């Protein structure tokens, strides 16, 4: 007796990913029910594509909002029985190489904050993150370069001052990063100062002549 393969109620796959050229988060595939979920839970917009309609998030969303909406939509689709592939870089709950992805997102957020800054104090906050003496990005990067320089020199068996030129230049690069951090921190301090407009005497009301000063003998 030949058994027939069962019919599975498997819906079309939905792929949620980030287009590298435009930076847009797009969802491709799925049924009308999937489109409804994407619009309701992820805030996606429907757009015509070369192979039919697709869905995308609005332009200009911050990275964290992109990840939140993509993750929320993917879980809603899974709960409704859809098969979903979510780009790991958009998954807020689990992503391979998460520390690196988090670092990249942090840098992108700093760039967005710098572009959106409307006050000097907002600029100073971004520059503080870049050049703060202990946890600033530049000092931490310098620490990585210094440790790599020491490790590479030890592996080559080179005494201090006798490293091959490419390794020796790592030392000068570390010094350059220290100088860059100093320059950025100086700019940060300048931006953080509150400048007060110069005080000016109030102008006389228009149409009123100032009375002459009388002299007494």
């Amino acid at each position: 007796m030949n058994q027939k393969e069962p019919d599975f109620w498997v819906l079309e796959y939905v792929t949620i990913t980030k287009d590298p050229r435009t930076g847009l988060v797009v969802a491709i595939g799925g049924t009308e029910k999937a489109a409804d979920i994407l619009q309701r839970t992820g805030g996606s917009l429907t757009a015509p594509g070369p192979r039919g309609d697709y869905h995308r998030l609005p332009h200009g969303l911050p990275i964290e909002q992109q990840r939140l909406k993509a993750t929320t939509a993917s879980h809603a689709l899974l709960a409704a029985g859809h098969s979903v592939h979510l780009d790991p870089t958009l998954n807020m709950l689990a992503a391979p190489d998460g520390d690196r992805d988090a670092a990249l997102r942090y840098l992108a957020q700093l760039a967005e904050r710098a572009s959106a800054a409307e006050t000097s104090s907002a600029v100073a906050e971004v520059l503080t993150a870049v050049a703060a003496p202990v946890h600033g990005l530049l000092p931490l990067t310098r620490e990585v370069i210094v440790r790599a320089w020491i490790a590479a020199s030890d592996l080559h068996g080179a005494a201090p001052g006798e490293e091959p030129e490419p390794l020796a230049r790592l030392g000068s690069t570390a010094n350059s990063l220290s100088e860059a951090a100093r320059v950025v921190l100086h700019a940060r301090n300048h931006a953080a100062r509150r400048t007060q407009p110069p005080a000016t005497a109030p102008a006389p009301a228009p149409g009123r002549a100032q009375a002459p000063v009388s002299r007494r003998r």
Side-chain angles (χ1 to χ4, degrees):
M1 180 178 176
N2 293 329
Q3 271 191 321
K4 291 177 59 179
E5 288 294 328
D7 294 328
F8 293 100
W9 291 86
V10 178
L11 301 178
E12 288 187 43
Y13 272 87
V14 180
T15 298
I16 303 176
T17 187
K18 190 166 187 175
D19 178 60
R21 184 178 62 84
T22 62
L24 287 173
V25 174
V26 298
I28 302 169
T31 62
E32 288 186 359
K33 183 180 178 182
D36 177 75
I37 293 172
L38 286 166
Q39 292 173 13
R40 285 189 296 103
T41 64
S44 294
L45 307 173
T46 303
R51 298 181 181 177
D53 290 348
Y54 69 98
H55 312 279
R56 64 168 178 82
L57 292 180
H59 290 276
L61 283 180
I63 292 176
E64 285 305 307
Q65 281 293 310
Q66 291 179 347
R67 299 181 72 236
L68 176 62
K69 289 180 178 296
T71 302
T72 302
S74 69
H75 281 265
L77 288 166
L78 288 170
H82 294 266
S83 299
V84 183
H85 168 73
L86 176 64
D87 187 331
T89 62
L90 295 173
N91 191 346
M92 294 196 73
L93 302 180
D97 204 6
D99 290 342
R100 178 180 180 275
D101 292 337
L104 293 176
R105 290 195 302 272
Y106 181 59
L107 288 172
Q109 289 168 12
L110 284 180
E112 290 176 358
R113 287 172 56 189
S115 297
E118 297 181 352
T119 63
S120 292
S121 61
V123 174
E125 289 175 3
V126 174
L127 296 180
T128 300
V130 172
V134 177
H135 296 298
L137 295 174
L138 283 175
L140 291 174
T141 303
R142 177 190 177 279
E143 182 69 16
V144 173
I145 297 298
V146 169
R147 295 192 181 204
W149 173 36
I150 294 172
S153 299
D154 290 344
L155 290 171
H156 279 77
E162 297 179 0
E163 310 96 64
E165 197 224 350
L167 295 183
R169 294 187 67 179
L170 282 177
S172 61
T173 300
N175 292 333
S176 298
L177 287 171
S178 295
E179 176 61 16
R182 188 190 68 79
V183 170
V184 173
L185 202 56
H186 181 71
R188 176 261 175 203
N189 293 337
H190 182 77
R193 292 193 191 100
R194 288 181 137 189
T195 56
Q196 297 292 340
T200 55
R208 294 180 59 186
Q210 190 171 7
V213 179
S214 61
R215 295 183 178 180
R216 292 185 179 179
R217 295 189 180 183

